[in-house]
Amino acid sequence: MADGPIQFPFPYQPYSIQKQFMEALYTALDEGKVGIFESPTGTGKSLSLICGALTWLRDYEERKRQETARLLESGDLATDSSAGSQQASQSQESSDSAEPNWITDFVQKKAERDLVSKLKEDELKRKRREERLELMRRNAKLKYTMKRKQDSEDEEAVRLLKLSKEALTAEGGDVLEEGEEEVIVAVYESDDDNAVPKRSCLDEDDDDLEEDHVTKIYYCSRTHSQLAQFVQEVQKSAFASDIRLVSLASRQNLCINEDVRRLSSVQLINDRCMEMQKNKHEKTEKVQEPKRRRGAAKPVCPFSGYEALQALRDEILVKVQDIEQLAALGKETKACPYYGGRLAIPAAQLVVLPYQTLLHESTRRASGIKLKDQVVIIDEAHNLIDTITCIYSSEVTGAQLCCAHSQLTQYMERYRNRLKAKNLMYIKQILFVVEGLVRMLGGKTGQNPNTQTTPAGTELQTINNFLCKAQIDNINLFKVRRYYEKSMISRKLFGFVEKYQGSGLNLSNKENCKTEGLEGFLQTLPKGQRHTAPVPDENSVADNGQPIMTSPMMQLEGFLFALTNANKDGRVVIHKQGVLAQSSVKFLLLNPAIHFAAVLRDCRAVIVAGGTMQPVSDFKEQLLLSAGVRPERIMEFSCGHVIPPQNILPLILCKGPSGQELEFTFQNREKSHMMDETGRVLSNLCNVVPGGVICFFPSYEYERCVYSHWEKTGLLERLSAKKRIFQEPKKASQVEQVLSEYSRCIQRCSQAEGPLSGALLLSVVGGKMSEGINFSDDLGRCVVMVGMPYPNIKSPELQEKMDYLDKNMPQVKGRTPGKALIENLCMKAVNQSIGRAIRHRGDYASIVLLDQRYSRPAIMAKLPNWIRTSTQVQPTFGPAFASIRKFFMQKKQQHGL
């Protein structure tokens, strides 16, 4: 810890809670803690994270430099005196008959010399890197020189681009059609885990690429827009001029090769990019191969030149850039921003990346991310348990299984004579596994899944029982997984289907003529080998509104990988929907801690932060303690809001205007008197609340039920007389339109005198409006929560999760962990929804919780601290309504309205 008070370079005088946040964050990083940080939206959380974390990093690197200098100085002195010491030691040992101590002394001295050498080497690399980057910052001539050098390579880039286009549109060859070589799996020689891996397509003999990763902070959040917002905050901070920051994103976001970008799916973009990188690697190989048949040259990306990537890497490290700026820089320098960003990771001090890239182990490894002794900050972490569970859970439908079987069979028949024995063996094993999975759903492969009926029902099984019942327990799934990874069979099959089906590609007429389609190839197969399983189209949509995955094989791959989890850590859910195509098998991860443990173990410190982290008990038990984190390593910090206490009025309402008790249990919430009472409460609130009122319901079904009831009773008409009513749409594509109309309505009402005082938005907990949308100022002057949104207790998956927790977790204050989970899921959803209103220091709003169960001490304790401390429990409606009316009258007077 630094001596004396820490000076944080905040852009303005920080609030006391911001200073407390930064000091607590600094302490957590310095002491290697796992910190749970809660800071409500509107309190400057991002800026506090930046200033607190980067101040610690600056101080840590300075201390490290001082320690290195001290060790180098003492090491040099020790080296100078080592010869004399060794001679004295040897003369003493010669007169002793015991085992010679000079060996121990020699080993010790060698270790010291090695340490000094390593420190010198690291210090030299650091100085070289800093000198190079400083030169680029200050010497504009260097940039112009590099630009001229790059311009001289333009002709070569154009030639490569033309070559790529020619290769992609070339006519067929003499044995295989053009491009088919790329879809045939390479020779798979061995299952030996110790086999020497092939060099990466970007490996080069350059010291800078081999340098150790400097101490860095990995910052991740949910969406690209949140990451871009964070980078913009860094750009405005005092650290902008000297911090080395790199933003990571997908190829879809960063690719600048227009011939690749035009491809219609993310998977096609990834495949084409990897294929071009592989071709580039093969081109640079010096190994002489037998001359193959004449054909078009393989396409190579013109933006993957090594020197151009190096230059782009340095440009990235010199100036803070968000994803859009990075892509623009790549176009300007004619270098790939995707690979340029990856090359910048070792020297970067701050790496900004999405959740998936950090939390998914194989993605993390492929991106070149090394977490050893580094710092990880996970923002918007309130749903971290669910996020990890979703990343490592996997589901595959009967339609996808039948399609994968059909495609792989056709692939095997097409290339049977060109596939080696081991490839054929594993392909047949995968086909055998698929047949077993389809049997478990009550169907058969080789027949149309849309016409096969299955008895409806849901069944949960352990992994081992599922494998036995599917009769695939004799297959070594770990070897199959390794085969998937090494052979890239899913990608090869995807390319095969794209070639013959022609879906997902914006092909010219010439290319369409060249590829006769999968159906044409099927005609060449013997009659018994033909399959009628449909191949999903890229743009097709399932009945539930979700797009069907283009590559069923990749979905199958994810499911088989999931089955390699430990038997106790997951369950297999078998959903039979009456028709094989709609039925599915799903792996449900029960223990997300096993996949988060590596992050916690390797990192120096891990910080999880959010606007609403309460309740944290399940987070600590399920994700931290279960992963082996010692309780003393866990640090909690929760700060209040920047708004004055008089700007928020949270109320728990136990009775409605007619005296009806408000308890919206599943059994009585659809009764007429309960829906009528809800309408009366809202009608009264709309009379005194200006601007916008957001009312959250537990589910879409209940919201529709209440709305329909109000229509019949005339209550909806009375509400509409004071506020224009909007409903949250189920389709995500319609959300923007509804929000825009809602906002315009409130704006018009505030500017013009009339009967309407604003708008009422009927929303759903866990829906599109409950997270990530700000209802600041007049958009959300009152938030109403109808009932308690408990999850469906009858869900087999939830019941299995509860059983797992009851067996593996300790009781929480006399309650079983399963029951605590239900309550925590409910209150997390409530806290996310009611936090939509207060968004900045000058904002004000009322929060009304319509259910007497909120008044229970155990429930109230799970509200955010800044809301809980101001919450009033109102047994009757009269005093509650009076306090709300007084609250808004005072605000009207204060603002001179």
Side-chain angles (χ1 to χ4, degrees):
M1 189 78 178
D3 297 330
I6 306 162
Q7 298 300 318
F8 298 101
F10 218 67
Y12 52 83
Q13 184 62 35
Y15 301 125
S16 59
I17 59 171
Q18 292 172 327
K19 192 172 181 183
Q20 292 165 14
F21 184 101
M22 291 185 290
E23 288 172 347
L25 178 62
Y26 191 105
T27 301
L29 298 180
D30 212 46
E31 297 178 1
K33 300 285 189 181
V34 176
I36 305 171
F37 281 67
E38 182 180 56
S39 179
T41 304
T43 56
K45 172 167 59 72
S46 295
L47 201 52
S48 299
L49 281 170
I50 291 166
C51 292
L54 295 184
T55 298
W56 170 83
L57 184 62
R58 178 197 65 194
D59 294 350
Y60 174 80
E61 289 186 337
E62 181 58 33
R63 293 198 301 269
K64 191 175 177 182
R65 275 195 288 270
Q66 292 174 1
E67 180 67 11
T68 299
R70 187 187 64 78
L71 287 172
L72 285 174
E73 185 178 354
S74 61
D76 287 340
L77 292 173
T79 304
D80 292 339
S81 60
S82 62
S85 303
Q86 193 170 350
Q87 289 175 3
S89 174
Q90 287 174 351
S91 68
Q92 183 181 357
E93 293 301 335
S94 62
S95 61
D96 241 342
S97 58
E99 183 179 339
N101 287 334
W102 66 266
I103 295 178
T104 306
D105 187 54
F106 175 79
V107 171
Q108 182 180 349
K109 294 294 182 184
K110 185 178 185 306
E112 290 176 0
R113 287 195 300 272
D114 290 345
L115 175 62
V116 171
S117 298
K118 180 71 166 62
L119 288 172
K120 284 182 177 178
E121 184 181 344
D122 291 346
E123 186 67 10
L124 181 62
K125 284 183 178 180
R126 183 186 67 81
K127 286 181 178 178
R128 282 174 55 197
R129 180 179 61 246
E130 290 185 355
E131 286 171 1
R132 186 179 71 244
L133 297 180
E134 187 62 25
L135 192 64
M136 290 193 70
R137 284 192 189 98
R138 299 192 177 186
N139 189 357
K141 291 181 180 178
L142 176 63
K143 292 186 182 180
Y144 294 139
T145 302
M146 295 183 71
K147 190 174 188 307
R148 283 199 303 271
K149 183 177 181 181
Q150 184 62 46
D151 289 342
S152 68
E153 296 174 354
D154 282 354
E155 189 176 337
E156 175 66 10
V158 171
R159 190 186 68 80
L160 285 173
L161 197 57
K162 184 179 178 182
L163 182 65
S164 297
K165 290 179 180 177
E166 289 174 354
L168 293 174
T169 58
E171 295 298 331
D174 47 4
V175 180
L176 292 175
E177 291 187 24
E178 196 59 48
E180 281 195 289
E181 288 185 4
E182 278 69 38
V183 303
I184 301 177
V185 289
V187 177
Y188 189 73
E189 294 291 356
S190 175
D191 299 321
D192 184 11
D193 289 337
N194 297 321
V196 179
K198 289 185 71 175
R199 293 170 61 215
S200 164
C201 58
L202 287 179
D203 284 349
E204 299 284 351
D205 296 327
D206 182 76
D207 290 340
D208 294 321
L209 289 183
E210 299 300 325
E211 68 181 344
D212 294 333
H213 285 229
V214 303
T215 302
K216 67 179 87 282
I217 296 169
Y218 289 99
Y219 172 90
C220 62
S221 193
R222 286 185 306 156
T223 65
H224 283 300
S225 60
Q226 288 169 337
L227 294 173
Q229 219 170 3
F230 179 83
V231 173
Q232 288 163 12
E233 292 283 354
V234 175
Q235 289 171 330
K236 292 186 289 186
S237 74
F239 297 94
S241 59
D242 54 7
I243 190 71
R244 300 192 298 275
L245 180 149
V246 57
S247 296
L248 300 185
S250 65
R251 289 180 175 89
Q252 186 183 25
N253 292 101
L254 290 176
C255 181
I256 58 172
N257 187 332
E258 291 302 325
D259 288 330
V260 177
R261 284 177 59 85
R262 71 182 176 84
L263 300 175
S264 59
S265 75
V266 177
Q267 193 56 57
L268 278 172
I269 291 173
N270 290 337
D271 286 348
R272 183 59 52 80
C273 175
M274 293 180 70
E275 175 191 329
M276 286 180 162
Q277 290 299 323
K278 180 172 69 70
N279 294 343
K280 171 196 169 188
H281 175 57
E282 289 176 354
K283 185 179 177 182
T284 58
E285 291 275 339
K286 300 301 182 183
V287 179
Q288 294 294 324
E289 296 180 356
K291 190 173 182 180
R292 292 186 289 183
R293 65 177 180 86
R294 190 174 65 182
K298 294 182 179 181
V300 176
C301 183
F303 304 105
S304 61
Y306 176 58
E307 290 185 354
L309 287 176
Q310 274 193 312
L312 178 60
R313 174 200 63 186
D314 290 343
E315 289 275 9
I316 291 169
L317 295 172
V318 162
K319 185 180 178 182
V320 174
Q321 329 239 11
D322 63 21
I323 295 168
E324 286 74 19
Q325 292 167 333
L326 179 56
L329 181 63
K331 290 179 181 178
E332 180 187 334
T333 58
K334 297 182 176 60
C336 175
Y338 177 78
Y339 283 109
R342 285 171 58 171
L343 288 179
I345 292 175
Q349 296 167 300
L350 180 57
V351 180
V352 180
L353 67 167
Y355 272 179
Q356 176 84 7
T357 308
L358 182 102
L359 297 175
H360 194 257
E361 185 181 3
S362 59
T363 306
R364 188 167 70 232
R365 190 169 58 245
S367 300
I369 293 169
K370 297 181 180 178
L371 297 181
K372 185 67 176 173
D373 297 328
Q374 307 293 13
V375 171
V376 163
I377 297 177
I378 303 174
D379 203 0
E380 301 297 330
H382 54 275
N383 284 333
L384 187 58
I385 293 176
D386 294 337
T387 300
I388 297 173
T389 300
C390 288
I391 286 174
Y392 287 98
S393 295
S394 182
E395 184 173 16
V396 59
T397 66
Q400 290 170 332
L401 288 171
C402 289
C403 188
H405 190 277
S406 173
Q407 291 175 357
L408 190 57
T409 301
Q410 294 156 22
Y411 178 88
M412 183 177 68
E413 292 302 324
R414 170 67 173 142
Y415 304 118
R416 179 182 289 274
N417 294 332
R418 300 182 66 89
L419 294 172
K420 299 298 182 183
K422 209 137 209 180
N423 282 318
L424 285 172
M425 181 189 77
Y426 277 109
I427 288 173
K428 288 178 179 178
Q429 284 188 11
I430 294 170
L431 290 171
F432 180 77
V433 168
V434 175
E435 290 164 7
L437 298 180
V438 173
R439 277 198 306 271
M440 290 297 288
L441 292 174
K444 293 181 180 179
T445 56
Q447 300 178 16
N448 193 330
N450 292 301
T451 59
Q452 297 187 59
T453 58
T454 61
T458 300
E459 184 182 355
L460 280 90
Q461 295 182 4
T462 64
I463 298 174
N464 290 346
N465 286 344
F466 176 79
L467 295 176
C468 289
K469 288 189 177 181
Q471 300 176 1
I472 56 175
D473 53 314
N474 59 327
I475 301 293
N476 187 331
L477 291 180
F478 291 94
K479 286 190 173 183
V480 172
R481 173 175 179 166
R482 180 171 174 79
Y483 177 73
Y484 265 111
E485 291 173 337
K486 297 298 180 185
S487 69
M488 296 191 293
I489 180 65
S490 293
R491 295 182 184 276
K492 301 293 186 180
L493 185 62
F494 184 78
F496 169 75
V497 173
E498 287 300 322
K499 179 173 180 59
Y500 281 103
Q501 182 184 324
S503 69
L505 277 171
N506 300 324
L507 298 176
S508 64
N509 291 331
K510 182 179 178 182
E511 288 172 307
N512 283 332
C513 291
K514 183 191 73 175
T515 57
E516 296 177 355
L518 195 57
E519 295 303 321
F521 167 65
L522 288 178
Q523 300 301 319
T524 66
L525 292 178
K527 190 173 181 181
Q529 295 173 355
R530 298 179 191 174
H531 300 272
T532 57
V535 180
D537 181 72
E538 168 65 21
N539 300 315
S540 61
V541 177
D543 294 337
N544 61 2
Q546 296 297 319
I548 298 174
M549 185 169 180
T550 309
S551 174
M553 189 64 163
M554 290 179 184
Q555 198 77 354
L556 171 66
E557 179 180 349
F559 181 73
L560 296 184
F561 280 22
L563 292 181
T564 60
N565 278 279
N567 188 54
K568 65 182 178 63
D569 291 329
R571 296 290 182 271
V572 179
V573 187
I574 305 168
H575 287 296
K576 295 181 181 178
Q577 304 286 354
V579 178
L580 176 61
Q582 297 174 11
S583 302
S584 65
V585 283
K586 177 181 179 180
F587 174 78
L588 174 66
L589 181 68
L590 297 176
N591 182 17
I594 57 171
H595 295 291
F596 196 52
V599 176
L600 296 166
R601 181 184 63 247
D602 292 345
C603 290
R604 172 196 175 90
V606 176
I607 305 296
V608 289
T612 305
M613 296 300 294
Q614 293 293 334
V616 298
S617 56
D618 56 343
F619 185 86
K620 287 167 62 177
E621 291 289 342
Q622 295 181 44
L623 210 54
L624 303 184
L625 298 176
S626 295
V629 177
R630 301 183 308 278
E632 60 268 21
R633 194 187 172 200
I634 300 173
M635 173 181 175
E636 292 183 51
F637 177 85
S638 179
C639 66
H641 213 294
V642 293
I643 62 164
Q646 61 268 24
N647 276 20
I648 182 172
L649 179 63
L651 297 171
I652 296 173
L653 200 54
C654 300
K655 289 184 179 179
S658 67
Q660 172 66 48
E661 282 194 352
L662 299 176
E663 189 168 339
F664 293 84
T665 60
F666 187 76
Q667 290 76 21
N668 70 358
R669 70 185 187 183
E670 292 186 12
K671 292 178 180 177
S672 296
H673 64 271
M674 292 299 293
M675 293 189 284
D676 288 339
E677 198 74 346
T678 305
R680 284 190 282 268
V681 170
L682 281 177
S683 183
N684 279 278
L685 290 176
C686 289
N687 285 332
V688 297
V689 177
V693 176
I694 303 107
C695 181
F696 284 101
F697 291 88
S699 67
Y700 282 103
E701 291 72 23
Y702 185 55
E703 187 266 331
R704 297 287 189 271
C705 177
V706 172
Y707 189 89
S708 177
H709 178 77
W710 289 347
E711 274 186 318
K712 293 174 186 175
T713 61
L715 220 159
L716 193 66
E717 188 177 348
R718 293 204 297 275
L719 284 171
S720 300
K722 201 66 180 174
K723 304 275 188 187
R724 184 181 169 188
I725 298 176
F726 293 85
Q727 288 179 278
E728 177 179 326
K730 266 195 170 184
K731 293 183 179 179
S733 59
Q734 298 174 349
V735 170
E736 191 67 36
Q737 180 186 350
V738 171
L739 284 175
S740 179
E741 291 177 6
Y742 172 78
S743 177
R744 282 199 299 268
C745 175
I746 292 173
Q747 192 174 13
R748 284 196 303 268
C749 292
S750 66
Q751 294 172 350
E753 293 291 334
L756 290 180
S757 63
L760 169 64
L761 178 60
L762 305 180
S763 301
V764 176
V765 176
K768 313 292 185 303
M769 311 285 191
S770 63
E771 284 192 45
I773 295 177
N774 297 339
F775 293 104
S776 60
D777 301 318
D778 279 349
L779 294 181
R781 290 303 182 199
C782 183
V783 176
V784 181
M785 178 64 63
V786 179
M788 298 188 71
Y790 284 107
N792 181 10
I793 192 69
K794 294 182 180 179
S795 162
E797 296 177 18
L798 184 57
Q799 287 180 347
E800 194 67 28
K801 178 75 172 180
M802 292 170 65
D803 290 343
Y804 174 83
L805 294 177
D806 288 342
K807 291 174 184 176
N808 294 279
M809 302 288 172
Q811 289 201 347
V812 181
K813 296 180 181 179
R815 306 191 66 191
T816 63
K819 289 184 177 177
L821 171 70
I822 296 296
E823 202 169 85
N824 288 343
L825 289 173
C826 169
M827 291 309 296
K828 275 185 180 294
V830 169
N831 292 340
Q832 279 301 306
S833 299
I834 63 179
R836 297 299 93 205
I838 303 290
R839 312 306 285 180
H840 59 84
R841 182 175 175 80
D843 209 352
Y844 62 90
S846 176
I847 297 170
V848 182
L849 305 176
L850 292 188
D851 201 305
Q852 65 180 7
R853 291 174 292 176
Y854 284 110
S855 63
R856 296 172 185 170
I859 299 294
M860 279 191 68
K862 293 179 179 181
L863 288 169
N865 186 58
W866 64 279
I867 293 178
R868 185 174 65 247
T869 52
S870 303
T871 300
Q872 303 175 19
V873 178
Q874 296 287 0
T876 57
F877 182 77
F881 181 71
S883 63
I884 292 172
R885 182 171 54 188
K886 181 181 178 183
F887 175 80
F888 285 106
M889 285 182 65
Q890 288 176 342
K891 295 304 170 190
K892 185 177 181 180
Q893 293 170 359
Q894 289 173 10
H895 292 81
L897 299 175

